[in-house]
Amino acid sequence: MSEFKGTKGKWKIENIKSPFETAINSSEYRIAAVKHYEGKNFNDPIEKEAKANALLISKAPEMLEMLQEFVLDFDNGLIDDFQITRDRFEKLIKEATEF
């Protein structure tokens, strides 16, 4: 299985100085910045969409890790209860889509 070569660890979203930019950061680096120039506040649709994009991007390492674990466990015959795996996936989906 391929090793992830990007920035490891949890990524988080943060508002930065500009009211029209949201940063995705690790503990050491800025990963990306999501710009959303047209919105004026968090209730604007463009603002909400930008925040949702940033949240989804911030969850990418956890999603990849969970998928890699699933494939490895499946290949080694360690998954006998798919409900547990499904519940883990559902929790991560919620974390990536609800703010």
Side-chain angles (χ1 to χ4, degrees):
M1 186 165 306
S2 298
E3 180 184 343
F4 177 58
K5 293 176 180 65
T7 303
K8 296 184 176 32
K10 291 197 175 227
W11 295 357
K12 60 187 182 227
I13 59 171
E14 299 175 346
N15 288 326
I16 56 178
K17 293 180 183 178
S18 164
F20 304 116
E21 193 169 23
T22 301
I24 297 108
N25 296 324
S26 72
S27 59
E28 297 178 26
Y29 303 104
R30 170 151 304 148
I31 306 301
V34 177
K35 296 182 186 243
H36 36 99
Y37 294 106
E38 297 176 36
K40 293 183 176 41
N41 62 52
F42 187 70
N43 293 320
D44 287 340
I46 291 171
E47 197 76 11
K48 286 183 179 180
E49 183 177 337
K51 295 280 185 183
N53 290 339
L55 179 60
L56 182 61
I57 293 165
S58 76
K59 292 295 181 179
E62 291 172 75
M63 290 179 186
L64 177 60
E65 182 179 344
M66 190 175 288
L67 288 169
Q68 288 173 324
E69 286 175 10
F70 173 80
V71 169
L72 187 63
D73 289 349
F74 184 84
D75 288 350
N76 289 317
L78 299 175
I79 296 178
D80 56 355
D81 184 353
F82 281 96
Q83 185 65 43
I84 293 169
T85 302
R86 186 216 170 276
D87 293 346
R88 286 183 63 212
F89 287 164
E90 182 178 45
K91 181 179 182 279
L92 187 53
I93 290 167
K94 277 188 171 191
E95 290 174 3
T97 59
E98 297 177 4
F99 50 86

